[in-house]
Amino acid sequence: MPTSENGSPPPVYREIAEELREQIRSGRYADGDRLPGENVIMERHGVARATARQALSVLINEGLAVAVRGSGVYVRLFRPIRRHGARRLSRELWGNGRAIWQTDTDGEDRGYDVDRLRVEEGTARDHVARVLGLTEGEGVLLRSRRYLVDGRPVQTALSHLPLALVGDEPRFRDGDTGPGGIYARLAERGLAPARFTEEIRGRMPTPEETEALGLTPGTPVLEVARTALTADHRPVEFNEITMDGSAYVLQYDFEA
Amino acid sequence: MPTSENGSPPPVYREIAEELREQIRSGRYADGDRLPGENVIMERHGVARATARQALSVLINEGLAVAVRGSGVYVRLFRPIRRHGARRLSRELWGNGRAIWQTDTDGEDRGYDVDRLRVEEGTARDHVARVLGLTEGEGVLLRSRRYLVDGRPVQTALSHLPLALVGDEPRFRDGDTGPGGIYARLAERGLAPARFTEEIRGRMPTPEETEALGLTPGTPVLEVARTALTADHRPVEFNEITMDGSAYVLQYDFEA
DNA sequence: CAGTGGTCTAGACCACGAC
DNA sequence: TCGTGGTCTAGACCACTGT
């Protein structure tokens, strides 16, 4: 039973953090506003530097604030991109603007870029091989890339395609895979994806992901593992997608 | 440009953290194993206590380790529950009187419990009112609860039902809403949910959520906002679900 | 340049768990 | 009781931002 019914008073740094958190919630500090810094907190609460830092680190690790070296600590904003799972139903339901989380113009007028594109051959790891129905050590074509919106990295993706399916067709290895992308190329070979399965998980980023996505402390990632299958249930692609949790809202629509 | 190409050497605490992280990855320390404590790190690396603590806090905030007071720091495990998006809500399931929660895992034998059940009337917040198509200040029935698996809290849910739809029918206010639950009761009133929309977001927990779910530092939550609509697009329920990110994998299946 | 956050030291006392 | 992690002090030097 961690942190349950605690008779003892909360530590000082938590009380300071709670005070600031409350002021953020109440609107006393708004998005992008500068919060009291270490020195101000030390003076106002009569605590040592480390204690003031610890209080601020609570808010930072909650994703409520970001520290900017040499400048200050600021309230953080949440203006996510909306990613639709199944597009089919979403239009009619959400064209009326009744989403829970407001998104920045729902994808209009943004600068989209792709970055760090890499294509190579390799062997699938255990769990990928299982998902794709491959035998141990069978080859896959790996396509990795990073996506940016308005210059900000928001997502990385690593796509796995069985070599047995793509052969040496150059289109699969090009940076530009042509109109319709990979899925259209698969369709031309009689391997059109008909169904998708997405598994989603939330976790803290690895240092590599922190670098690749430019994440600040207190930002989790959303990991989406997507499998594409043909109409006869043959897996043709497995895609590992890692998204900046502060940049995305995922949406899925489905029938009862 | 945050933390980009950095010529300067990484701080000591990061190097210590990286060393431990690598040992965890390589299997040198497995799930549940005890990691070197503050004192060991101080001695081995010749650093002050605060520096050793900072190194450990990196791993803890990454969700790789948990600290247990008076005992030690341990490698953390990830054994999630699978939550199916579409399948679990199928008409067939709640038509048979099976509760949604029971289908939440892949049929394993686990101990399921519901806790902190609360039913009350209230008014919907702005964004909830918008989603449910309510006028300002219109009443809703609020049903909140906490779910536990094997005694461990893993999820909280807050369901909103427009009072105009549920009337004073007692079944909606009972702890046990009868076979098929809320959705079956709505169906009996000609308000059978036909479609669902789920919006998913990953973020760090609030202190309240940390308490309710017994979360350790470095654990994000998955927040699912679900709207249930009738066949003619009338919203009948809005449910705010918060899940322990270390306890769940969400799965959605859909067609191209 | 002054002010900010980032790192680090060398202590101290406490609450808690395991033995 | 002893070792553990949790909190806190009172300094220090550094890197960086802003003017």
Side-chain angles (χ1 to χ4, degrees):
Chain A
M1 215 81 57
T3 329
S4 60
E5 296 308 326
N6 214 331
S8 56
V12 180
Y13 78 92
R14 280 191 192 281
E15 291 197 322
I16 299 173
E18 175 54 31
E19 181 185 321
L20 290 172
R21 186 163 37 225
E22 188 43 45
Q23 290 177 315
I24 292 173
R25 274 185 190 160
S26 73
R28 162 77 183 77
Y29 296 106
D31 278 358
D33 279 3
R34 182 178 179 166
L35 292 172
E38 298 177 359
N39 297 331
V40 175
I41 292 176
M42 286 170 69
E43 193 188 326
R44 273 225 281 260
H45 292 82
V47 295
R49 185 181 197 74
T51 305
R53 281 185 65 75
Q54 202 171 4
L56 288 171
S57 82
V58 168
L59 301 181
I60 289 167
N61 283 320
E62 278 173 2
L64 282 177
V66 283
V68 182
R69 197 199 193 93
S71 174
V73 179
Y74 300 86
V75 178
R76 189 199 212 180
L77 15 81
F78 179 58
R79 294 262 181 282
I81 301 162
R82 187 173 299 272
R83 174 186 185 270
H84 295 265
R87 269 250 164 224
R88 206 158 47 87
L89 291 167
S90 19
R91 287 283 165 94
E92 54 184 299
L93 293 184
W94 299 90
N96 318 347
R98 36 182 201 195
I100 303 302
W101 291 298
Q102 293 292 16
T103 47
D104 250 4
T105 66
D106 268 10
E108 317 284 336
D109 292 330
R110 292 236 207 172
Y112 293 93
D113 274 304
V114 174
D115 202 356
R116 303 195 183 178
L117 177 66
R118 213 176 128 180
V119 184
E120 60 182 333
E121 294 185 10
T123 54
R125 279 164 298 156
D126 280 2
H127 72 282
V128 176
R130 193 178 62 247
V131 165
L132 286 176
L134 302 178
T135 59
E136 183 70 24
E138 205 179 322
V140 286
L141 183 66
L142 298 169
R143 298 180 52 93
S144 66
R145 32 149 95 62
R146 186 172 73 162
Y147 295 91
L148 303 94
V149 172
D150 291 340
R152 171 189 174 197
V154 293
Q155 179 187 125
T156 61
L158 173 60
S159 171
H160 306 65
L161 294 144
L163 278 181
L165 298 185
V166 301
D168 40 17
E169 164 74 49
R171 294 292 274 284
F172 285 106
R173 287 172 170 80
D174 286 352
D176 179 7
T177 51
I182 286 291
Y183 294 150
R185 299 295 83 71
L186 284 169
E188 288 164 7
R189 298 185 145 231
L191 298 167
R195 303 200 337 197
F196 296 91
T197 290
E198 297 196 347
E199 290 177 80
I200 302 159
R201 131 178 214 209
R203 58 170 172 79
M204 296 313 284
T206 65
E208 291 75 27
E209 290 164 344
T210 299
E211 183 277 329
L213 297 174
L215 301 176
T216 57
T219 310
V221 294
L222 289 172
E223 187 177 352
V224 176
R226 183 176 68 199
T227 310
L229 304 119
T230 59
D232 54 340
H233 300 186
R234 184 174 180 184
V236 290
E237 189 225 22
F238 175 74
N239 202 348
E240 242 173 8
I241 305 165
T242 306
M243 291 174 285
D244 176 349
S246 70
Y248 276 96
V249 165
L250 311 185
Q251 179 174 339
Y252 294 90
D253 307 295
F254 50 91
E255 288 169 24
Chain B
M1 216 78 57
T3 329
S4 59
E5 295 309 326
N6 214 331
S8 57
V12 180
Y13 78 92
R14 280 192 193 280
E15 291 198 321
I16 299 173
E18 174 56 29
E19 182 186 319
L20 290 172
R21 185 162 39 226
E22 188 45 42
Q23 290 178 313
I24 292 172
R25 274 185 192 160
S26 73
R28 163 76 183 76
Y29 296 106
D31 279 359
D33 279 3
R34 181 179 180 165
L35 292 173
E38 299 177 359
N39 297 331
V40 174
I41 292 176
M42 286 170 70
E43 194 189 326
R44 272 225 281 259
H45 293 82
V47 295
R49 185 180 198 72
T51 304
R53 280 184 66 74
Q54 202 171 3
L56 288 171
S57 82
V58 168
L59 301 182
I60 289 168
N61 284 320
E62 279 173 2
L64 282 177
V66 283
V68 181
R69 197 198 194 95
S71 174
V73 179
Y74 300 85
V75 177
R76 187 201 217 183
L77 15 79
F78 179 60
R79 297 256 180 284
I81 300 162
R82 184 173 303 270
R83 175 187 185 269
H84 293 269
R87 193 179 81 195
R88 56 190 275 289
L89 287 171
S90 72
R91 185 189 307 268
E92 172 184 334
L93 290 183
W94 41 265
N96 299 348
R98 293 186 59 185
I100 289 168
W101 182 253
Q102 288 169 345
T103 63
D104 242 10
T105 45
D106 288 338
E108 296 158 24
D109 267 325
R110 299 240 214 173
Y112 297 96
D113 274 304
V114 174
D115 201 355
R116 302 196 184 178
L117 176 65
R118 214 176 127 179
V119 184
E120 59 182 333
E121 294 185 9
T123 56
R125 279 164 298 158
D126 279 5
H127 70 280
V128 176
R130 191 178 67 245
V131 166
L132 286 176
L134 302 178
T135 59
E136 183 72 25
E138 205 178 321
V140 287
L141 184 67
L142 299 169
R143 298 179 53 92
S144 65
R145 32 148 94 63
R146 185 173 74 161
Y147 296 92
L148 303 94
V149 172
D150 290 339
R152 171 189 174 196
V154 292
Q155 178 186 126
T156 61
L158 173 60
S159 172
H160 306 65
L161 294 145
L163 278 182
L165 299 185
V166 301
D168 40 17
E169 165 73 49
R171 294 293 274 285
F172 286 107
R173 287 172 170 80
D174 286 351
D176 178 8
T177 52
I182 285 291
Y183 294 149
R185 299 293 83 71
L186 284 169
E188 286 163 6
R189 299 186 143 230
L191 297 168
R195 291 174 171 182
F196 298 91
T197 288
E198 297 196 346
E199 291 177 79
I200 302 159
R201 155 184 188 199
R203 59 171 171 77
M204 296 313 284
T206 64
E208 291 76 26
E209 290 164 344
T210 298
E211 183 278 328
L213 296 174
L215 301 176
T216 56
T219 310
V221 294
L222 288 171
E223 188 177 353
V224 176
R226 183 178 68 198
T227 310
L229 303 110
T230 59
D232 54 339
H233 299 189
R234 183 173 181 186
V236 290
E237 189 224 22
F238 174 74
N239 202 347
E240 243 171 7
I241 305 164
T242 305
M243 290 174 285
D244 176 347
S246 71
Y248 275 98
V249 164
L250 311 185
Q251 178 173 341
Y252 293 91
D253 306 292
F254 52 92
E255 286 166 26

